[in-house]
Amino acid sequence: MIQFTVYGTYDYSCHIREDEISIDVESTSRYLTYRRVCRGESAERTIASEKGSIIINPVEPLNLPKKVTRYLEIHFNPIFVEPETTRQLYLTFPVEIGVFIRAKEDNDLLDVFSPVLPKYSLYGPPDYGRVTRWHESSIYPDVPKTDPLREGVLDLTLVNEGKTWIEVSRAVFVNAGMTIWYGDYVLMSAKMELYSNMVAETKILSTPGKNGMTRSIPAYSARKVSVVEMVPEKVVFLMEFGLGDKIADN
Amino acid sequence: MTRLQTTNSTLDITAIVANLKAYDIIAIAVILIIAVIIAKICTTFLKKKLSDRMEKSDLNVLNSIVWWSIILIGIFFASPHFKIDLSGLLVAGGILAVIIGFASQSVVSNFVSGIFLIIERPMKIGDNINIGDVTGNVEHIQILSTIVRTFEGIYVRVPNEKVFTSNIKNYVSNVARRFDYKIGISYRDDADRAVMIIRDIIEHEPFALKNPEPLVFVDKLGDSSVDLLIRIWAPSKEWYDLKMSLLVKIKTALEANGVEIPYPQQVVWVQQAKSAERGRGHEDNGR
């Protein structure tokens, strides 16, 4: 399996050039200087450390331009799901690139950036709804080819538990430690249990990626949020405002 | 049975203690211990349930109220064992209550309003609100008053009674809100093209929400311009920043694409010039 060039672990002197991204860590007499340029935007950090490593991996796409939500919404062409069946399909999801600094067994998030322009939306009505990071995807029967710096592959299992056909064209997931894997592509697994045309339950799975894939450090846990270790399967999101373009007003 | 007399609301403590029997002392102790245990259980329960929903200071006040209410109920249940004639106390207490009631009418009103505000929660700390003539960010919601920091950085204390009885506008209570722009373009310019340019700018703004869909349309054929109305939804926490930054981007994009945003203008017909033209016309006809 080909390890994608930007993602991986580096020592304190690294220079990465890829497409429209450049990352440099340079050592001066007392400090390290981290510089990044992406889409014309630059960031610089000063690091006081002697020995450690820089880890670059895809993170959940909920940090840019600033953190306003925990919800990811993927919109796709409507798919009709037969009653009492389980179907697997592939979607894409946006990724952000997280740069972590690691020393003495501790990680911290140094920088997050993305060549993808983020877009936000609202799932549900303005009073009770959720602001979501919005992404438009096609539906794929197999793992699609993606640019790992921009998009990941979402392995989505649709379960129609009802006795009627259900039309789905959107999936909303809550970020509670999204488990993202990376190798020659970026992968995340999720499950969506459909109860009716208006209600479904979604959850991110921590299913291990394909052989040779590496598990990403999530930006969520690196920020040292109170919940130290979360099990994604335990955190479900109830989509109660509809599964299609028509949103319930409530 | 000896009855203790209360004179002018003054109790003879020594006499009370002297008349207590061992059974009464044990009963009083048991009742008060039970009251303390119940109060402890209730306050611990409130701490667990409300600590993430209430300000710590308010929670402490509420816990104190609950604690002392339970202890007072315990004392009430234990009072028969003190063998006190409470009728005198009740009369004195009633008069005292009336006096205190009149004296502390506004304090009680603010207190009760504070309790209802904590229960109803029309706003929370950090919210951008308007109460009457005060607009700003909520700094604290206390049991008697609400502290607002205006946008000029001024500290304003609003009594809770006023907060409770006023119309409260909470600009960030809903997760998303809409804002509008009205932009006039010249009659010479293509309105459809201007709409497309504006839509493109909005599409590239992360916090201009995809859903509800932004609207850009010709709203009015004005005196000096074709007026476009732009309606955009944004996350409540971000709407003001977006509103401030987006208008200049729209203006720049329209100008870069040759769309004119006209000044108010009025066509003035000068009668003298018209008469002169008519006069010239007559001369030409004469020739």
Side-chain angles (χ1 to χ4, degrees), chain B residues 40-52 54 59 62-63 66-67:
Chain B
K40 186 76 186 164
I41 290 168
C42 288
T43 51
T44 309
F45 177 79
L46 285 175
K47 271 184 191 167
K48 278 182 186 170
K49 291 288 172 189
L50 298 178
S51 50
D52 57 337
M54 273 179 84
L59 187 59
L62 184 67
N63 269 338
V66 170
W67 175 275

Side-chain angles (χ1 to χ4, degrees), chain A:
Chain A
M1 184 167 285
I2 305 157
Q3 182 72 24
F4 194 73
T5 48
V6 171
Y7 298 140
T9 303
Y10 302 86
D11 61 23
Y12 276 162
S13 60
C14 66
H15 302 276
I16 301 163
R17 299 282 180 276
E18 179 72 38
D19 202 9
E20 52 190 328
I21 296 167
S22 76
I23 295 171
D24 297 284
V25 182
E26 286 166 357
S27 173
T28 54
S29 56
R30 287 168 184 261
Y31 302 105
L32 298 165
T33 306
Y34 163 88
R35 286 192 194 86
R36 178 267 298 167
V37 179
C38 176
R39 274 198 304 133
E41 291 173 4
S42 59
E44 188 172 314
R45 307 273 187 274
T46 304
I47 305 161
S49 173
E50 286 178 3
K51 199 177 175 190
S53 55
I54 299 284
I55 302 163
I56 304 174
N57 65 218
V59 293
E60 58 276 21
L62 300 165
N63 307 286
L64 297 173
K66 62 163 120 168
K67 194 164 176 55
V68 294
T69 184
R70 300 196 310 141
Y71 300 92
L72 170 66
E73 176 178 351
I74 300 175
H75 190 267
F76 42 90
N77 285 331
I79 178 166
F80 291 82
V81 186
E82 190 186 318
E84 296 174 340
T85 53
T86 298
R87 286 285 178 275
Q88 189 185 23
L89 55 89
Y90 292 95
L91 303 171
T92 58
F93 70 97
V95 294
E96 290 171 3
I97 301 165
V99 181
F100 299 85
I101 186 157
R102 183 177 175 82
K104 292 172 185 157
E105 303 297 314
D106 188 43
N107 300 322
D108 210 345
L109 186 64
L110 196 61
D111 188 19
V112 185
F113 61 95
S114 174
V116 182
L117 188 73
K119 189 72 180 168
Y120 287 83
S121 186
L122 179 69
Y123 175 68
D127 43 359
Y128 299 106
R130 303 279 193 280
V131 171
T132 57
R133 167 74 194 268
W134 187 87
H135 176 75
E136 178 92 52
S137 169
S138 299
I139 298 171
Y140 303 93
D142 301 303
V143 174
K145 280 197 173 175
T146 52
D147 176 353
L149 292 175
R150 293 166 181 274
E151 285 184 332
V153 175
L154 180 71
D155 179 349
L156 180 65
T157 305
L158 290 175
V159 182
N160 182 356
E161 304 213 319
K163 296 195 181 297
T164 54
W165 286 81
I166 294 178
E167 181 188 348
V168 191
S169 65
R170 69 175 72 203
V172 180
F173 303 98
V174 61
N175 176 26
M178 283 181 174
T179 313
I180 297 174
W181 300 81
Y182 66 95
D184 54 351
Y185 61 94
V186 176
L187 177 69
M188 183 163 71
S189 302
K191 188 177 180 185
M192 188 172 182
E193 292 178 8
L194 314 170
Y195 300 125
S196 73
N197 277 313
M198 296 305 291
V199 181
E201 205 172 70
T202 63
K203 56 186 164 191
I204 301 287
L205 306 174
S206 54
T207 316
K210 307 278 184 291
N211 281 342
M213 280 191 152
T214 310
R215 184 175 176 160
S216 280
I217 304 167
Y220 193 76
S221 68
R223 283 203 175 114
K224 296 176 177 59
V225 189
S226 57
V227 182
V228 179
E229 193 65 44
M230 298 200 75
V231 183
E233 280 89 344
K234 297 279 181 198
V235 184
V236 297
F237 177 66
L238 186 70
M239 291 180 65
E240 54 185 322
F241 303 117
L243 313 183
D245 289 333
K246 194 182 169 201
I247 296 292
D249 288 336
N250 260 31

